[in-house]
Amino acid sequence: MRSNHTSGYGWTVESIMKKAMVIGATGFGGLGLIEIIRRHPGMEITQLVDIKDTGKNVSDLFPHLRGFCDLTIRPPDGIDFQEIDIAFFSTPDRAGMALIREFHKRKIAVIDFSGDFRFGTVRDYEVYAANRGLEKSHLAADLLPEAVYGLPEKYADRIRSARIVGNPGCFSICMILGLLPAAESGIISSDTIIGDGKTGVSGAGRNSGEANLYPQRHENVNTYREGTHQHVVEVENVINSLGGKKSEILFVPQIVPLNRGILTTMYMDIVDGYDTGRMLRVYRDYYNNKPFVSVTDKSPNTADVRGSNRCLIRPIVDPRTGKLVVISAIDNLMKGQAGNAVQNANIMLGLDETAGLDVPAFYP
Amino acid sequence: MRSNHTSGYGWTVESIMKKAMVIGATGFGGLGLIEIIRRHPGMEITQLVDIKDTGKNVSDLFPHLRGFCDLTIRPPDGIDFQEIDIAFFSTPDRAGMALIREFHKRKIAVIDFSGDFRFGTVRDYEVYAANRGLEKSHLAADLLPEAVYGLPEKYADRIRSARIVGNPGCFSICMILGLLPAAESGIISSDTIIGDGKTGVSGAGRNSGEANLYPQRHENVNTYREGTHQHVVEVENVINSLGGKKSEILFVPQIVPLNRGILTTMYMDIVDGYDTGRMLRVYRDYYNNKPFVSVTDKSPNTADVRGSNRCLIRPIVDPRTGKLVVISAIDNLMKGQAGNAVQNANIMLGLDETAGLDVPAFYP
Amino acid sequence: MRSNHTSGYGWTVESIMKKAMVIGATGFGGLGLIEIIRRHPGMEITQLVDIKDTGKNVSDLFPHLRGFCDLTIRPPDGIDFQEIDIAFFSTPDRAGMALIREFHKRKIAVIDFSGDFRFGTVRDYEVYAANRGLEKSHLAADLLPEAVYGLPEKYADRIRSARIVGNPGCFSICMILGLLPAAESGIISSDTIIGDGKTGVSGAGRNSGEANLYPQRHENVNTYREGTHQHVVEVENVINSLGGKKSEILFVPQIVPLNRGILTTMYMDIVDGYDTGRMLRVYRDYYNNKPFVSVTDKSPNTADVRGSNRCLIRPIVDPRTGKLVVISAIDNLMKGQAGNAVQNANIMLGLDETAGLDVPAFYP
Amino acid sequence: MRSNHTSGYGWTVESIMKKAMVIGATGFGGLGLIEIIRRHPGMEITQLVDIKDTGKNVSDLFPHLRGFCDLTIRPPDGIDFQEIDIAFFSTPDRAGMALIREFHKRKIAVIDFSGDFRFGTVRDYEVYAANRGLEKSHLAADLLPEAVYGLPEKYADRIRSARIVGNPGCFSICMILGLLPAAESGIISSDTIIGDGKTGVSGAGRNSGEANLYPQRHENVNTYREGTHQHVVEVENVINSLGGKKSEILFVPQIVPLNRGILTTMYMDIVDGYDTGRMLRVYRDYYNNKPFVSVTDKSPNTADVRGSNRCLIRPIVDPRTGKLVVISAIDNLMKGQAGNAVQNANIMLGLDETAGLDVPAFYP
């Protein structure tokens, strides 16, 4: 389909815009997609789908979108399958599990934000589901072998030809990116890698219940699900598939009073011979041609990635104890969710990987 | 000068990019310009100037800019006047007052962020300077008659041909936009218009002193400069130049714990015959073709304009008291500063008024 | 009843402790009462009552109370009426309306936090109820003539002998205290007094729904119920009962990202002959012997009253416009709710008015 | 000296109040002491000392103190040594180092908030000073052997007879209390204990420079001094003096957008035979009679200790990895500073350990 994209000059650029559907349009994930795709030169949203607020204009619900996205929200049974190049399922666990089959039958590319398609086997899914307190039976188990874990910095080639991509968990992507260079180079020697995570409140979603009311979160920090967070499975799956030392992740997440942002600090033993300088070279080499990962020798700030798709990583070899400390920071709604999903979509659709995503953090 | 602008598809668009210089590069105003112009299809920053941190790469100072803007900061005496289409002076009061003459001599368009060129007469400047506690003597008094007040919604025609534009104060623009339709239609009948303003902390600038340390501002709201804020002169100048009733502004600003955002609530008497519905029509008609002003019948949220150049305005005629209440909201660093400046620059340079600025607020 | 109160020295002071019951124990109001009465030398809580979480220890629900208050929460039908000197109803509108009769029959002093007993006539209640969207019929209309409006700075004498006190709304008390000296001295000459209010999020209560989730409130300010807030009736009732000019209040509340705090800024015309200095004397004289009101010539900060029962008031006569501006600040959970209620209880029970309440704001 | 302390009933209790001097009166530490001692039944502040703002009334500088503490600030050369039972040095490193000798000569008890007297040997001080970038020479080295580390939960007996107490660092006390039961029971088997700390911004002090301006701290989390924080020496000193396994602390602090609060999460290997249940018993037994330490099996929130002197500790033995995770939370200005100092003072002066400190956290 051809559409007109008007530049700032008033020129008209005739181009082929890819058509995106967003299901789960009114959550943080859906809204993030609307914001990103609005500035995407090769993609446009043509259908918004949700199970509530159907029939309403999204910009009546979210006034900041007026004039930028004024689509009416359709119910799932109003989806027009003819007009979709890419379907984003920004839906909770199990909400899209069965419906995705309809898209797969029609060979429409799907990116799912839940845990439904992050695992290649039913068995891994069942561990995840148990951690989350979900029903264990996968309703589309036959599709799992085709699903690809949506981590472009590692699996771009498989994502390119995938029809179903499971977009990673926000903590998972932050930790995995921080560990990949050391893990893949066989540098890690710990049985246990310690991950200490801090996340902003938007990580709990837009309708996140009483525990996330302002007076409960403001001026408060607390741990939760110590050692039992559901994202650990994903991290271990990736890290232990690289041929090096197998490690377990002991992960303690914490909620901090931010809207957006994740900072993870990881601690592990390493083989001999590395100091911070050498480790920085390993990390920089590894991410040399990855547009969204920045390796740094300064202390990462979540503010440095706020609103951007960037992951900022600092590896330090502590001279006193010999341990490797890796600090990684992302915006949980961007590289931790909608931004990473668009990056995956770009790869799947043959667009430039950075299209729609080449913006810096907003400051302050 | 021709440069190559690469789209997300990998196409190369050959175009004429306007070259911008930013002086005061490391304040919030300068950084805002870098972020906005980075996504501008017809403008690029070619020189960053400041009196401190000269010789350093701006992205060493502000890591979020790495890969987006990696220019070295020049001292003022390193400015290359040959390569500038537009000069943004994001400098404090009086800092650029004399230097701007050098640009004017060379017929380079200038937009100044301070109060130096917001007033057409020396006398008005002196009132402003007294309120601010500044020296009264204007060092470029001969240029004042040429300077245009940078309010595009009212003075676009004069801005188009201006060579010096005084970008308005953040509170001023928020209040003036809220008052213009009523004032210009002769609806206001008060001797005194009451303005109650709330601003985020970034309004005080990046190096804003002890009073703006986190523990002093977090979990605190206070009034300041009650009735004596320096932006009042600007508002009265514009509102009382429209031929209707002359009014004084009684303005009480308040600092609220936000990074970004201004919300002003104004109260005034009006002539008979208006209810909220009719007033909404007056406001909507007035701003009908203004791309950055949205009139609404819902309560404005600063979050609805955060990161965008939009001004959101709600007029209400209170049925009990007959008074007009106008609520207006902007992002003080966007429509209240750098965004409005780029809008002015677009007009001065013959570009589309919205170029670089057509992005929605980020949410949450 | 005699109980032992152990001082910091280990001395035992034998004293008569008044026994308080708190119904609505797990809201912000109930919790505030627990914190205050914990440090009260002449009052102790002996019964906590609620309709949910009954049978649980309050310190299992709120770990910060462990060791300070470990009472089990009773259901309303478990109340022991024999052992109550004062009953605090920290309940929503209409929740305690009928039950309070049971206390009244037994001559037990009651302080109600809702609007149920703030009005002396059924007619005023109906206006309030309509603004709140409540049922209009009052279920204890016969008790209204006995109920006293719980504003100790004005009605201490009536409170002293009252058996039912309606504790004022948080915005009401902040505005009334700011207006009383001018209103009672016949200084106000406006038909309309403008009130611009800013409140922290705790004002909406502990279970305040989706609109008050952290990501919706953080980094956001908005107006709401412009001109129609239910507290206006209370303010007009008091101000217009003083024999001076009758005025209407045009009140626009705003939510600001604080946990605690209200700041109101009020604007009005006044009779001739007052400048700021003279007005300060009027205010200081009026509140001369009121322990919880501080008149100041500095800009009030909500941080200056955070956690304390103090109301901070600054009157300014604007020399340009001649209007009186009054800024008043309270902690909405203290002087705006539980603190004021304990002050009322002290008066009703013949204790020192400041008992349990003589603590400064916590800083920062 | 006898003074009159008036109870809430209007009774007059004649008692002997201990007289405290606070030097460094206008920092967070000094202000915290004023707030705490104001409610102390056996101690009163009679002298406030500082090097700036001398001659001013402290309540002119901090309006929340008006009526609660209205003392004039004296310069150090205006100290009246005759009237001091306890001197609090809430001063930066090295500021009180020499002056403390004057108090020691006169046998006046001193509690110092800096690192000057936290170490028993010049050598330890030099390590600390190097980490802090301070001059190494200790100006009162002869007094070090007499100084006691002010950790009442461990050294109450020595504090009781000490004349100089070095009040611990805020992170130190939070980590040490979390480690003591395991360390003293010989349960820890790691060479390296990992400490991951999160602190509110007040930890940097009241005049904490540009890095702590509101827009830099709001909506931001970052690490700093990774592995090199000066408090590590203190933790290692205490933990490694207990006769068990010697361990190094690898500590990574993080600044989170809170006014108050520290949460530390620690990870270590342990000897066989412990699960969470048994570990909870070890911790509960250890702190059985310590009034300010609460062991819990729920996730600690900094909000649960905000404004109180409590330390909340949760030990978990992770069943997958076998590691011990200990989470501890304090208010950095209370148990992390002024509250702990008053606890030490109570012990030194023979008062009840909890006097002035038996208040719960304020919520919300």
Side-chain angles (χ1 to χ4, degrees):
Chain A
M1 181 213 187
R2 292 185 169 260
S3 79
N4 289 326
H5 182 64
T6 305
S7 81
Y9 282 104
W11 304 338
T12 298
V13 181
E14 197 167 337
S15 67
I16 299 168
M17 298 292 278
K18 299 292 187 183
K19 291 179 299 293
M21 184 206 73
V22 174
I23 180 164
T26 63
F28 288 146
L31 293 165
L33 288 167
I34 293 173
E35 284 180 35
I36 296 168
I37 298 176
R38 175 60 185 66
R39 62 182 181 233
H40 197 296
M43 198 185 296
E44 61 186 342
I45 296 178
T46 54
Q47 297 181 60
L48 292 181
V49 181
D50 212 319
I51 53 171
K52 55 176 186 178
D53 293 319
T54 56
K56 292 188 188 159
N57 188 315
V58 72
S59 66
D60 283 337
L61 299 168
F62 301 94
H64 73 289
L65 294 176
R66 179 156 334 273
F68 295 106
C69 179
D70 299 293
L71 291 171
T72 298
I73 298 168
R74 307 174 178 211
D77 62 10
I79 294 173
D80 174 2
F81 290 97
Q82 303 307 308
E83 295 281 334
I84 306 174
D85 294 305
I86 180 94
F88 293 97
F89 275 72
S90 178
T91 41
D93 277 302
R94 303 185 69 84
M97 201 178 249
L99 183 56
I100 281 171
R101 187 184 301 284
E102 295 303 309
F103 289 77
H104 189 256
K105 277 198 302 198
R106 292 170 171 89
K107 304 196 191 311
I108 300 170
V110 168
I111 297 173
D112 181 59
F113 284 31
S114 81
D116 291 1
F117 293 93
R118 288 183 194 153
F119 307 99
T121 68
V122 165
R123 203 171 151 212
D124 273 351
Y125 178 77
E126 289 175 354
V127 175
Y128 171 86
N131 278 346
R132 287 285 274 168
L134 302 168
E135 260 187 77
K136 287 172 90 172
S137 65
H138 201 289
L139 307 178
D142 54 311
L143 301 181
L144 285 184
E146 294 187 44
V148 174
Y149 189 66
L151 183 73
E153 284 72 16
K154 180 68 194 162
Y155 303 120
D157 287 342
R158 289 156 61 185
I159 293 166
R160 195 161 288 119
S161 57
R163 291 303 84 192
I164 302 180
V165 163
N167 208 46
C170 50
F171 270 130
S172 314
I173 211 161
C174 195
M175 283 195 280
I176 293 170
L177 290 176
L179 293 172
L180 267 184
E184 196 157 331
S185 310
I187 293 171
I188 302 174
S189 66
S190 291
D191 291 323
T192 302
I193 297 169
I194 287 163
D196 191 286
K198 299 96 204 167
T199 180
V201 183
S202 67
R206 198 166 73 83
N207 303 304
S208 52
E210 241 179 72
N212 292 307
L213 287 166
Y214 186 88
Q216 318 278 12
R217 288 279 139 239
H218 180 64
E219 192 69 358
N220 190 22
V221 171
N222 63 280
T223 55
Y224 67 104
R225 294 190 215 154
E226 300 87 347
T228 65
H229 194 279
Q230 71 276 7
H231 289 168
V232 166
V233 198
E234 295 174 42
V235 182
E236 291 181 354
N237 272 1
V238 174
I239 295 307
N240 292 333
S241 72
L242 303 172
K245 166 84 183 165
K246 301 265 186 283
S247 308
E248 285 182 309
I249 308 289
L250 169 50
F251 175 54
V252 177
Q254 276 131 119
I255 307 182
V256 290
L258 298 176
N259 265 359
R260 292 163 176 257
I262 283 181
L263 187 131
T264 60
T265 311
M266 290 165 287
Y267 307 85
M268 67 214 82
D269 294 318
I270 54 173
V271 298
D272 288 345
Y274 289 87
D275 62 6
T276 298
R278 188 175 171 200
M279 194 64 77
L280 275 165
R281 286 192 297 277
V282 169
Y283 272 70
R284 285 183 167 136
D285 287 351
Y286 189 91
Y287 286 124
N288 183 37
N289 62 347
K290 304 299 182 211
F292 295 114
V293 183
S294 264
V295 178
T296 178
D297 58 0
K298 293 181 185 155
S299 298
N301 284 247
T302 60
D304 291 337
V305 297
R306 188 168 57 198
S308 92
N309 199 48
R310 186 169 278 178
C311 178
L312 201 54
I313 300 177
R314 180 181 195 185
I316 300 170
V317 179
D318 179 54
R320 290 176 80 234
T321 62
K323 298 224 181 230
L324 170 61
V325 180
V326 183
I327 304 145
S328 57
I330 60 169
D331 180 329
N332 59 302
L333 297 180
M334 291 293 296
K335 187 62 183 166
Q337 194 190 48
N340 190 71
V342 171
Q343 186 182 352
N344 278 324
N346 286 339
I347 295 170
M348 294 168 86
L349 298 172
L351 306 176
D352 186 285
E353 187 174 345
T354 67
L357 296 167
D358 56 344
V359 294
F362 47 86
Y363 175 88
Chain B
M1 181 211 184
R2 290 181 171 263
S3 78
N4 290 327
H5 182 67
T6 305
S7 82
Y9 281 104
W11 304 339
T12 297
V13 180
E14 194 166 340
S15 69
I16 298 168
M17 297 291 276
K18 297 293 186 183
K19 294 179 296 295
M21 183 205 76
V22 173
I23 178 164
T26 62
F28 288 146
L31 293 165
L33 289 167
I34 293 173
E35 285 181 33
I36 295 167
I37 299 176
R38 176 61 185 66
R39 62 182 181 235
H40 198 296
M43 199 186 296
E44 62 186 342
I45 296 178
T46 53
Q47 298 182 61
L48 292 180
V49 182
D50 212 321
I51 53 172
K52 52 174 192 183
D53 293 319
T54 56
K56 293 188 186 159
N57 188 315
V58 71
S59 65
D60 283 338
L61 299 168
F62 300 95
H64 73 289
L65 295 177
R66 177 156 340 271
F68 296 106
C69 179
D70 298 294
L71 291 172
T72 298
I73 297 169
R74 308 174 178 207
D77 61 11
I79 295 172
D80 174 1
F81 290 97
Q82 302 307 309
E83 295 281 333
I84 306 174
D85 292 306
I86 180 95
F88 293 96
F89 274 71
S90 179
T91 41
D93 278 300
R94 304 186 67 86
M97 201 178 249
L99 184 57
I100 281 173
R101 189 184 301 282
E102 296 302 309
F103 290 77
H104 189 257
K105 276 198 300 196
R106 291 168 171 90
K107 303 195 190 313
I108 301 170
V110 168
I111 296 173
D112 181 60
F113 284 32
S114 80
D116 292 1
F117 294 93
R118 287 182 195 155
F119 306 98
T121 67
V122 166
R123 209 174 143 203
D124 274 352
Y125 178 75
E126 289 174 355
V127 176
Y128 171 86
N131 278 347
R132 288 287 273 170
L134 301 169
E135 258 187 77
K136 288 171 91 173
S137 64
H138 200 292
L139 307 178
D142 55 309
L143 300 181
L144 285 184
E146 294 187 42
V148 175
Y149 189 66
L151 182 73
E153 284 73 17
K154 179 69 194 160
Y155 304 120
D157 287 342
R158 287 157 62 185
I159 293 166
R160 196 162 288 119
S161 56
R163 291 303 85 192
I164 303 180
V165 163
N167 209 46
C170 50
F171 270 130
S172 313
I173 213 161
C174 195
M175 284 195 278
I176 293 170
L177 290 174
L179 293 172
L180 266 184
E184 196 157 330
S185 310
I187 292 171
I188 301 174
S189 66
S190 290
D191 290 323
T192 302
I193 298 168
I194 287 163
D196 192 286
K198 300 95 204 167
T199 181
V201 185
S202 67
R206 199 166 72 83
N207 302 305
S208 52
E210 242 178 70
N212 292 307
L213 288 166
Y214 185 89
Q216 319 278 12
R217 289 279 138 239
H218 180 63
E219 192 68 358
N220 190 21
V221 172
N222 64 280
T223 54
Y224 67 105
R225 294 189 215 158
E226 299 88 347
T228 64
H229 193 280
Q230 70 277 7
H231 288 169
V232 167
V233 198
E234 295 174 42
V235 182
E236 291 182 353
N237 271 1
V238 174
I239 295 307
N240 292 333
S241 72
L242 303 171
K245 166 84 183 163
K246 302 264 186 283
S247 308
E248 285 182 308
I249 310 289
L250 168 50
F251 176 55
V252 177
Q254 276 132 119
I255 307 182
V256 292
L258 301 175
N259 265 357
R260 291 164 176 257
I262 283 181
L263 187 130
T264 60
T265 312
M266 290 165 286
Y267 307 85
M268 68 215 81
D269 295 318
I270 54 173
V271 298
D272 287 345
Y274 288 88
D275 63 4
T276 298
R278 188 175 172 202
M279 194 64 76
L280 276 165
R281 286 193 295 278
V282 169
Y283 271 70
R284 284 182 169 138
D285 287 351
Y286 189 92
Y287 287 124
N288 185 38
N289 61 347
K290 303 299 182 212
F292 294 114
V293 183
S294 265
V295 178
T296 178
D297 58 0
K298 293 181 186 156
S299 298
N301 284 246
T302 60
D304 291 337
V305 297
R306 189 169 53 200
S308 90
N309 200 47
R310 186 170 278 180
C311 179
L312 201 54
I313 300 178
R314 179 180 198 188
I316 298 170
V317 179
D318 179 54
R320 290 175 80 235
T321 62
K323 298 221 182 232
L324 171 60
V325 180
V326 183
I327 304 145
S328 56
I330 60 169
D331 180 328
N332 60 302
L333 298 180
M334 290 295 293
K335 187 62 183 167
Q337 193 189 49
N340 189 71
V342 171
Q343 187 182 350
N344 278 324
N346 286 339
I347 295 171
M348 293 168 87
L349 297 172
L351 306 176
D352 186 286
E353 186 174 344
T354 67
L357 296 168
D358 57 343
V359 295
F362 47 85
Y363 176 89
Chain C
M1 182 212 181
R2 291 183 170 261
S3 78
N4 290 325
H5 182 65
T6 305
S7 81
Y9 283 104
W11 304 339
T12 297
V13 181
E14 196 166 337
S15 68
I16 299 168
M17 297 293 276
K18 298 292 185 183
K19 294 181 295 295
M21 182 205 76
V22 173
I23 178 163
T26 63
F28 288 146
L31 294 165
L33 288 168
I34 294 172
E35 285 181 34
I36 295 167
I37 298 176
R38 176 59 183 68
R39 63 181 180 235
H40 198 297
M43 198 185 295
E44 63 186 342
I45 296 178
T46 54
Q47 298 182 59
L48 292 180
V49 181
D50 212 321
I51 54 174
K52 53 176 189 180
D53 294 320
T54 55
K56 293 188 186 158
N57 187 316
V58 72
S59 66
D60 283 338
L61 300 168
F62 300 95
H64 72 289
L65 294 177
R66 178 155 338 270
F68 296 105
C69 178
D70 299 294
L71 292 172
T72 299
I73 298 169
R74 308 175 177 208
D77 61 12
I79 294 173
D80 174 1
F81 290 97
Q82 301 309 307
E83 294 281 334
I84 307 175
D85 294 304
I86 180 94
F88 294 96
F89 274 73
S90 178
T91 42
D93 277 302
R94 303 186 68 83
M97 202 179 250
L99 184 56
I100 281 172
R101 188 184 301 282
E102 296 303 309
F103 290 77
H104 189 256
K105 275 198 300 196
R106 292 168 172 89
K107 303 197 190 313
I108 301 170
V110 169
I111 296 173
D112 182 58
F113 285 30
S114 80
D116 291 2
F117 293 93
R118 288 183 195 155
F119 306 98
T121 68
V122 166
R123 206 172 147 208
D124 274 352
Y125 178 76
E126 289 175 355
V127 175
Y128 171 87
N131 278 348
R132 287 285 275 169
L134 302 169
E135 258 187 77
K136 286 171 93 174
S137 65
H138 200 289
L139 307 178
D142 55 311
L143 300 181
L144 286 185
E146 295 186 43
V148 175
Y149 189 66
L151 183 72
E153 284 73 15
K154 180 68 194 160
Y155 304 120
D157 287 342
R158 288 156 63 184
I159 293 166
R160 196 161 286 120
S161 57
R163 291 303 84 193
I164 304 180
V165 163
N167 208 44
C170 50
F171 270 130
S172 313
I173 212 162
C174 195
M175 282 195 279
I176 293 171
L177 290 176
L179 294 172
L180 266 186
E184 197 157 329
S185 311
I187 292 171
I188 302 175
S189 65
S190 291
D191 290 324
T192 303
I193 297 168
I194 286 163
D196 192 286
K198 300 95 204 167
T199 180
V201 184
S202 67
R206 198 166 74 82
N207 302 304
S208 52
E210 240 179 72
N212 292 307
L213 288 166
Y214 186 88
Q216 319 279 10
R217 290 276 138 241
H218 180 63
E219 191 69 358
N220 190 22
V221 172
N222 64 280
T223 55
Y224 67 104
R225 295 191 215 155
E226 299 87 348
T228 65
H229 194 279
Q230 71 277 6
H231 288 169
V232 166
V233 198
E234 295 174 42
V235 182
E236 291 182 354
N237 271 2
V238 174
I239 295 306
N240 292 333
S241 72
L242 304 172
K245 166 85 182 164
K246 301 263 185 282
S247 308
E248 285 182 310
I249 308 290
L250 168 50
F251 176 55
V252 177
Q254 276 131 119
I255 307 181
V256 291
L258 300 175
N259 265 358
R260 293 164 175 255
I262 283 182
L263 187 130
T264 60
T265 312
M266 292 166 284
Y267 306 85
M268 69 214 81
D269 295 318
I270 53 172
V271 298
D272 288 344
Y274 288 87
D275 62 5
T276 298
R278 188 175 171 201
M279 194 65 76
L280 275 165
R281 286 192 296 277
V282 169
Y283 272 70
R284 285 182 168 138
D285 286 351
Y286 190 92
Y287 287 123
N288 184 38
N289 61 347
K290 304 298 183 211
F292 295 115
V293 183
S294 264
V295 177
T296 177
D297 58 0
K298 294 183 185 153
S299 298
N301 284 246
T302 60
D304 291 337
V305 297
R306 188 167 57 199
S308 91
N309 199 48
R310 185 170 280 180
C311 178
L312 202 51
I313 300 178
R314 180 182 195 184
I316 299 170
V317 179
D318 180 53
R320 289 176 79 234
T321 63
K323 297 218 183 238
L324 170 62
V325 180
V326 183
I327 304 145
S328 57
I330 59 169
D331 180 327
N332 59 304
L333 298 180
M334 291 293 296
K335 186 64 184 166
Q337 195 189 47
N340 190 70
V342 172
Q343 187 182 350
N344 279 323
N346 286 338
I347 295 171
M348 295 168 86
L349 299 171
L351 306 175
D352 186 284
E353 187 173 345
T354 66
L357 296 168
D358 56 344
V359 294
F362 46 85
Y363 175 88
Chain D
M1 182 211 186
R2 287 178 175 265
S3 77
N4 289 327
H5 182 65
T6 305
S7 81
Y9 282 104
W11 303 340
T12 297
V13 181
E14 197 168 336
S15 68
I16 299 168
M17 298 291 277
K18 297 292 186 183
K19 292 180 298 294
M21 183 206 75
V22 173
I23 179 163
T26 64
F28 288 146
L31 294 165
L33 288 168
I34 293 173
E35 285 182 33
I36 296 168
I37 299 177
R38 176 61 185 66
R39 62 182 181 235
H40 198 297
M43 198 185 295
E44 63 185 339
I45 296 179
T46 53
Q47 297 183 60
L48 292 180
V49 182
D50 212 320
I51 53 171
K52 55 174 186 180
D53 294 320
T54 54
K56 293 188 188 160
N57 187 315
V58 72
S59 67
D60 283 336
L61 299 168
F62 301 95
H64 73 288
L65 294 177
R66 176 152 343 268
F68 296 106
C69 179
D70 299 293
L71 291 172
T72 298
I73 298 170
R74 306 174 180 211
D77 61 11
I79 296 173
D80 174 2
F81 290 97
Q82 302 308 310
E83 295 281 335
I84 308 175
D85 293 306
I86 180 93
F88 293 97
F89 275 72
S90 179
T91 41
D93 277 302
R94 304 185 68 83
M97 201 177 250
L99 183 57
I100 281 172
R101 189 185 302 282
E102 297 302 310
F103 290 77
H104 190 256
K105 276 198 300 196
R106 293 169 169 90
K107 304 196 190 311
I108 301 171
V110 168
I111 297 173
D112 182 59
F113 284 33
S114 81
D116 292 0
F117 293 93
R118 288 183 194 154
F119 306 99
T121 67
V122 166
R123 206 171 147 209
D124 274 353
Y125 178 76
E126 288 174 356
V127 175
Y128 171 85
N131 277 348
R132 287 286 274 169
L134 302 169
E135 259 186 76
K136 288 171 91 173
S137 65
H138 200 291
L139 307 177
D142 54 312
L143 301 181
L144 286 183
E146 295 186 44
V148 175
Y149 190 66
L151 183 74
E153 284 73 16
K154 182 66 195 162
Y155 303 120
D157 288 341
R158 287 157 62 185
I159 293 166
R160 195 161 289 119
S161 57
R163 291 302 84 193
I164 302 179
V165 163
N167 208 45
C170 50
F171 270 131
S172 313
I173 212 162
C174 195
M175 283 195 279
I176 293 170
L177 290 175
L179 294 172
L180 266 184
E184 196 157 332
S185 310
I187 292 171
I188 301 174
S189 66
S190 292
D191 290 323
T192 301
I193 298 169
I194 286 162
D196 191 285
K198 301 94 203 167
T199 180
V201 184
S202 67
R206 198 166 73 83
N207 303 303
S208 52
E210 243 178 70
N212 291 308
L213 287 166
Y214 186 89
Q216 319 279 12
R217 288 280 139 236
H218 180 63
E219 192 69 0
N220 190 23
V221 171
N222 63 280
T223 55
Y224 68 104
R225 294 191 215 156
E226 299 88 348
T228 64
H229 193 281
Q230 71 276 7
H231 289 167
V232 166
V233 197
E234 295 174 42
V235 182
E236 293 181 353
N237 271 2
V238 174
I239 296 307
N240 292 333
S241 71
L242 304 171
K245 166 84 183 164
K246 301 264 186 283
S247 308
E248 284 181 309
I249 309 289
L250 168 50
F251 176 54
V252 176
Q254 277 132 118
I255 308 183
V256 291
L258 300 176
N259 265 357
R260 290 163 177 259
I262 283 181
L263 188 131
T264 61
T265 312
M266 290 165 286
Y267 307 85
M268 67 214 83
D269 295 320
I270 53 174
V271 297
D272 288 344
Y274 288 88
D275 61 5
T276 297
R278 188 176 172 202
M279 194 64 75
L280 275 165
R281 286 192 296 277
V282 169
Y283 271 68
R284 286 184 167 136
D285 287 350
Y286 189 91
Y287 287 123
N288 185 38
N289 61 347
K290 303 298 182 212
F292 295 114
V293 183
S294 263
V295 177
T296 178
D297 58 0
K298 294 182 184 153
S299 298
N301 284 245
T302 60
D304 291 337
V305 297
R306 187 169 55 199
S308 90
N309 199 48
R310 186 170 276 179
C311 178
L312 202 52
I313 300 178
R314 179 181 195 184
I316 299 169
V317 178
D318 179 54
R320 290 175 80 235
T321 62
K323 298 223 181 231
L324 170 61
V325 179
V326 182
I327 304 145
S328 56
I330 59 168
D331 180 329
N332 59 303
L333 298 180
M334 291 294 295
K335 186 62 182 167
Q337 195 190 46
N340 190 70
V342 171
Q343 187 182 351
N344 279 323
N346 286 338
I347 295 171
M348 294 168 86
L349 298 172
L351 306 176
D352 187 285
E353 186 173 347
T354 67
L357 296 167
D358 56 344
V359 295
F362 46 85
Y363 174 89

